[in-house]
Amino acid sequence: MKLVLRITERTTEPTPVLPVFPVGTDPLLGLQNEIQPADGPGATRCVSHPHELALGGIPVMCSDCRARRDWLLINHGRNVWVRCRCGNQWLEPEVSRSDFDALIASPYGTPYPSVEEGLVALGFDGVFAGIYLA
């Protein structure tokens, strides 16, 4: 038995398949919504707090490096976390979302694509551990 290789040439091209979007959606509006800053109850927001932070009259102190000022407050939903320059972060139930909203009322802010990029840009990723920048 001898195998013979047979080559066939096809001149027909496969028909390109175009993406199908659900009825009532516009890809340009979707892109516009993606590049808008996050807002609403599911958004993660950050604000720096260079001064001392006293909760219930007791000053906040980092349990790792003993820092007493220069914090980053991170809000997601009803929760607020406090982050130190050394990278230590904890959930702080004493700070409510309304307290956070009062701190972030300033129109001057920089949106970042992700929390991690914001931490690096603001210096709260642990690089400046033990240093007060403000």
Side-chain angles (χ1 to χ4, degrees):
M1 175 187 243
K2 186 175 181 183
L3 295 176
V4 178
L5 182 62
R6 179 181 280 177
I7 300 174
T8 57
E9 291 185 24
R10 294 192 180 183
T11 58
T12 59
E13 298 272 332
T15 307
V17 178
L18 298 175
V20 178
F21 296 106
V23 177
T25 61
D26 184 2
L28 292 177
L29 289 176
L31 178 63
Q32 182 181 3
N33 290 336
E34 287 177 15
I35 60 174
Q36 298 245 341
D39 196 13
T44 301
R45 305 175 299 163
C46 302
V47 64
S48 62
H49 187 78
H51 309 293
E52 287 188 359
L53 184 64
L55 302 175
I58 301 170
V60 174
M61 183 171 69
C62 178
S63 60
D64 283 357
C65 71
R66 305 290 186 221
R68 294 180 179 261
R69 61 183 173 96
D70 202 13
W71 308 107
L72 181 70
L73 302 176
I74 304 168
N75 169 243
H76 182 76
R78 289 187 283 170
N79 299 319
V80 176
W81 287 267
V82 178
R83 186 170 179 101
C84 180
R85 291 252 179 223
C86 73
N88 186 23
Q89 177 176 316
W90 63 93
L91 178 65
E92 188 54 67
E94 293 290 321
V95 181
S96 67
R97 182 177 175 142
S98 60
D99 296 334
F100 184 86
D101 289 339
L103 288 171
I104 205 166
S106 171
Y108 307 105
T110 305
Y112 296 99
S114 69
V115 175
E116 291 78 19
E117 289 182 38
L119 294 176
V120 171
L122 295 172
F124 283 92
D125 58 343
V127 172
F128 297 112
I131 300 173
Y132 287 129
L133 297 180

